[in-house]
Amino acid sequence: MSQVKTIKVNAIKNGTVIDHIAAGKVLKVIDLLNLTGDNSVMLGMNLSSNKIGKKDIIKIENRELSKEEANSIALISPSATLIIINDFEVVNKTSLEMPEYIEEHIICPNPKCITNSEEIPSKYYINNAEPATARCLYCEKKYLVEDLKIKI
Ligand SMILES: [Zn+2]
């Protein structure tokens, strides 16, 4: 008899599932979403995926993501899929896309950048290449998206 390899993760009643997160990136997602409150959270790491090989997945009960949060997760893992669950049913499923630019949620790694010394909201243009890079509008420096500190 062949072995059943399906891993069952408990379903959530209401909330958000973020699927197809690049393997190893789910901890960054947790950090980003500040999941220290009362929400029940289930996560899986290094699961087999037909779509991306190995994946991470996270299920968050009673939490919907804002547009900014979804965009920031796309920066961490553009392969991710966002699934909204309502009364155990999938009501919405969207593939995330790397945004063209992102505002305010990134701290510029350049200590001399004006956004670090004055109250100016940062803005970065994203170049969706492999690997993706982001260019600061103010200091014009380019950084790997992976290295950026994203904060919501
Ligand atoms: Zn800068």
Side-chain angles (χ1 to χ4, degrees), residues 2-146:
S2 68
Q3 287 222 316
V4 179
K5 282 189 178 161
T6 313
I7 298 165
K8 265 206 164 168
V9 181
N10 288 340
I12 55 173
K13 186 166 190 254
N14 295 300
T16 301
V17 176
I18 310 165
D19 198 1
H20 302 112
I21 303 168
K25 296 283 176 70
V26 75
L27 296 177
K28 268 194 162 186
V29 173
I30 292 172
D31 197 32
L32 178 86
L33 297 178
N34 232 339
L35 295 174
T36 49
D38 300 326
N39 311 76
S40 298
V41 176
M42 284 168 267
L43 64 94
M45 293 174 77
N46 291 318
L47 307 179
S48 295
S49 160
N50 293 334
K51 196 175 159 192
I52 59 170
K54 289 274 182 197
K55 71 173 184 180
D56 290 352
I57 184 170
I58 182 167
K59 302 186 178 196
I60 312 157
E61 198 137 45
N62 300 323
R63 173 83 182 256
E64 280 195 31
L65 303 188
S66 66
K67 180 92 187 139
E68 279 92 4
E69 287 170 331
N71 272 340
S72 300
I73 290 166
L75 288 179
I76 294 169
S77 176
S79 62
T81 312
L82 207 64
I83 303 158
I84 312 293
I85 310 287
N86 195 344
D87 207 12
F88 296 108
E89 300 280 340
V90 172
V91 290
N92 197 296
K93 197 169 181 171
T94 21
S95 297
L96 292 184
E97 275 175 34
M98 193 65 104
E100 286 178 19
Y101 62 87
I102 186 155
E103 288 176 283
E104 291 180 46
H105 302 294
I106 295 175
I107 298 161
C108 190
N110 174 8
K112 289 181 181 156
C113 182
I114 192 164
T115 59
N116 283 320
S117 56
E118 287 177 36
E119 289 287 310
I120 298 172
S122 60
K123 184 166 181 172
Y124 290 79
Y125 290 101
I126 311 293
N127 180 6
N128 192 9
E130 201 45 68
T133 56
R135 184 169 54 84
C136 176
L137 177 75
Y138 291 95
C139 69
E140 301 260 306
K141 286 196 190 300
K142 242 192 201 179
Y143 302 95
L144 285 175
V145 165
E146 229 187 286

